[in-house]
Amino acid sequence: MPVLEVNHINKSFGGTQVLKDISFSLERGQALAIIGSSGSGKTTLLRCLNFLETPDGGTISVNDEQIFDAANHAAVSDAEIRKKRLHFGMVFQSFNLFPQYTALENVMLANLLLAKKQPDFKKNKRAVLEKIEHQAMDLLEQMSLEGRMSHYPHQLSGGQQQRVAIARALALHPDILCFDEPTSALDPELTGEVLKVIRTLAEKHTTMVIVTHEMAFARDVADRIIFMDDGVIVEQGTPAEIFEHTQNDRTRAFLHRFSQNA
């Protein structure tokens, strides 16, 4: 049973259709890489999965439970949307850390906000806070940031900030971890730091959707590849099928153009 099923998703902004009949599925433990030119709809697709944008059509299911149906026009509360977002951990291009919080506090924040809504929070406050803090510390140690926990974002390099963002995304144990061009704001050395973390997650069979322009990384790490162009999934398959046995001329042209510019 797929952990994620996306069926016939459409999205328009004004008169421009950005996503056109997008359908795919993802098995638990797989890494899916989405590649394509700028403006092809990759980021919009991720934002629709995480309910930062609302699709105009189609359905989204997680663990065989339909969490979005565009045909159902009933109003959805902010609380319901926040609950649906718990299925997805999001890592953004520009880190999106809270500047007023330390690395540790950034990772703790979501769990802390959820804990405060529990009726027995005040009664068990100390134990709950200790548990959340220890979990956040463990995640930051996994990111090799044990010496940076008390640092604020402006005191961290871009690569360190992105690793904090990955730890934060993992803190709520999401079904699917989503990356939106996680290395686009980094220089080559820092890019390597972040890609190493994602490779380790893939080796642990973390279910991931990764929008990336790093073709070699996508080829090595992903179980499946989707190539998008002009809001359409042009081709999808295994890395070998996409990179070595491309069936579509648009995919072939993109990969050739990308290799020429690399």
Side-chain angles (χ1 to χ4, degrees), residues 123-171:
K123 178 181 177 181
N124 303 310
K125 182 176 180 179
R126 177 172 293 184
V128 171
L129 290 178
E130 286 181 358
K131 182 178 178 180
I132 292 172
E133 183 178 40
H134 288 157
Q135 182 204 32
M137 291 173 68
D138 181 60
L139 286 169
L140 287 170
E141 287 173 3
Q142 291 178 38
M143 301 295 137
S144 300
L145 292 170
E146 54 272 11
R148 297 288 187 270
M149 296 187 190
S150 62
H151 287 54
Y152 290 88
H154 73 273
Q155 297 173 309
L156 302 172
S157 70
Q160 290 169 340
Q161 289 186 66
Q162 194 62 294
R163 282 182 279 154
V164 172
I166 295 171
R168 181 180 62 181
L170 288 167

Side-chain angles (χ1 to χ4, degrees), residues 168-180:
R168 181 180 62 181
L170 288 167
L172 292 176
H173 305 290
D175 293 293
I176 303 151
L177 194 58
C178 298
F179 294 87
D180 183 16

Side-chain angles (χ1 to χ4, degrees), residues 6-256:
V6 175
N7 292 302
H8 308 295
I9 289 294
N10 295 290
K11 179 63 180 176
S12 295
F13 294 101
T16 303
Q17 191 170 5
V18 179
L19 297 178
K20 307 169 186 176
D21 198 28
I22 299 293
S23 296
F24 66 92
S25 62
L26 178 63
E27 298 292 330
R28 186 172 299 281
Q30 284 191 334
L32 170 69
I34 303 178
I35 62 174
S37 302
S38 297
S40 60
K42 308 183 300 297
T43 291
T44 299
L45 174 56
L46 275 194
R47 290 177 65 85
C48 285
L49 293 181
N50 200 42
F51 298 96
L52 294 170
E53 302 289 351
T54 303
D56 302 321
T59 63
I60 300 171
S61 297
V62 177
N63 295 326
D64 210 28
E65 174 191 355
Q66 191 173 90
I67 64 171
F68 175 79
D69 181 2
N72 181 359
H73 296 290
V76 179
S77 69
D78 289 344
E80 289 178 287
I81 291 174
R82 286 194 295 269
K83 184 177 179 180
K84 293 173 187 295
R85 281 180 180 155
L86 294 177
H87 292 293
F88 301 92
M90 191 77 174
V91 180
F92 299 90
Q93 295 182 36
S94 54
F95 326 133
N96 285 26
L97 299 179
F98 293 101
Q100 71 272 34
Y101 296 134
T102 66
L104 182 62
E105 291 167 341
N106 265 280
V107 179
M108 291 176 60
L109 184 59
N111 272 314
L112 183 58
L113 292 174
L114 288 175
K116 286 181 176 179
K117 295 181 179 180
Q118 300 304 311
D120 59 349
F121 173 70
K122 290 184 178 179
K123 178 181 177 181
N124 303 310
K125 182 176 180 179
R126 177 172 293 184
V128 171
L129 290 178
E130 286 181 358
K131 182 178 178 180
I132 292 172
E133 183 178 40
H134 288 157
Q135 182 204 32
M137 291 173 68
D138 181 60
L139 286 169
L140 287 170
E141 287 173 3
Q142 291 178 38
M143 301 295 137
S144 300
L145 292 170
E146 54 272 11
R148 297 288 187 270
M149 296 187 190
S150 62
H151 287 54
Y152 290 88
H154 73 273
Q155 297 173 309
L156 302 172
S157 70
Q160 290 169 340
Q161 289 186 66
Q162 194 62 294
R163 282 182 279 154
V164 172
I166 295 171
R168 181 180 62 181
L170 288 167
L172 292 176
H173 305 290
D175 293 293
I176 303 151
L177 194 58
C178 298
F179 294 87
D180 183 16
E181 297 278 14
T183 61
S184 63
L186 305 176
D187 63 35
E189 182 180 353
L190 300 180
T191 291
E193 292 179 12
V194 173
L195 295 183
K196 182 179 179 181
V197 169
I198 302 175
R199 287 178 190 274
T200 300
L201 292 171
E203 290 167 1
K204 294 179 179 178
H205 303 291
T206 304
T207 309
M208 296 185 286
V209 178
I210 310 164
V211 169
T212 183
H213 62 275
E214 300 282 347
M215 295 299 109
F217 169 76
R219 182 172 184 164
D220 291 345
V221 171
D223 298 289
R224 294 191 62 78
I225 307 278
I226 283 176
F227 169 63
M228 291 184 65
D229 187 37
D230 193 28
V232 175
I233 293 180
V234 175
E235 192 168 0
Q236 56 182 309
T238 65
E241 289 169 339
I242 297 299
F243 287 98
E244 298 171 21
H245 306 289
T246 308
Q247 298 298 308
N248 190 281
D249 289 340
R250 289 159 74 181
T251 313
R252 191 175 295 110
F254 168 79
L255 293 174
H256 176 73

